[in-house]
């Protein structure tokens, strides 16, 4: 099977309306075979009252959303499988809860 080289791009707005700051994004493994799981971990620095959401774009049209509102959410881990070989950009986008 062909290995997929994955390229991670983390985007976060440091605006007062968000109670968290994105510290970084990691991928494991960095290259996968078509149909294998890749785990994307996003680490957050939580403010005093964490309550926001993020949308993760996997670069192949798929997205997932998660709420960041408690200490256990400081490291968010999601898995994804790619159906086709290629290079994909993964983006973590800040969202307001309910938006």
């Amino acid at each position: 099977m062909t290995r997929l080289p994955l390229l991670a791009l983390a985007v976060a707005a440091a605006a007062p309306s968000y109670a968290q700051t994105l510290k970084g994004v990691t991928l494991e493994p960095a290259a996968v075979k078509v149909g294998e799981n890749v785990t994307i971990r996003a680490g957050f620095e939580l403010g005093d009252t964490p309550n926001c959401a993020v949308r993760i774009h996997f670069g192949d049209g798929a997205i997932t959303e998660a709420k960041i509102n408690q200490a256990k959410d400081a490291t968010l881990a999601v898995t994804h499988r790619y159906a086709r070989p290629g290079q994909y950009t993964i983006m973590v986008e800040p969202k307001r809860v309910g938006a």
Side-chain angles (χ1 to χ4, degrees):
M1 289 191 168
T2 305
R3 290 230 173 245
L4 303 172
L6 300 177
L7 172 64
L9 171 64
V11 177
S17 60
Y18 300 110
Q20 294 70 234
T21 302
L22 180 64
K23 294 191 307 185
V25 176
T26 61
L27 306 172
E28 191 177 302
V32 298
K33 293 179 183 176
V34 171
E36 286 184 341
N37 282 340
V38 62
T39 300
I40 296 101
R41 285 189 175 77
F44 298 91
E45 184 177 310
L46 301 180
D48 293 335
T49 56
N51 190 27
C52 78
V54 294
R55 180 175 293 150
I56 299 174
H57 300 264
F58 296 100
D60 61 354
I63 62 167
T64 192
E65 295 184 352
K67 291 182 182 176
I68 310 298
N69 60 12
Q70 50 191 318
K72 72 176 185 71
D73 300 329
T75 301
L76 175 66
V78 296
T79 59
H80 185 69
R81 288 183 188 196
Y82 290 91
R84 291 186 283 283
Q87 290 190 346
Y88 297 93
T89 300
I90 298 166
M91 182 176 74
V92 178
E93 174 188 16
K95 303 299 283 181
R96 288 194 173 123
V97 173

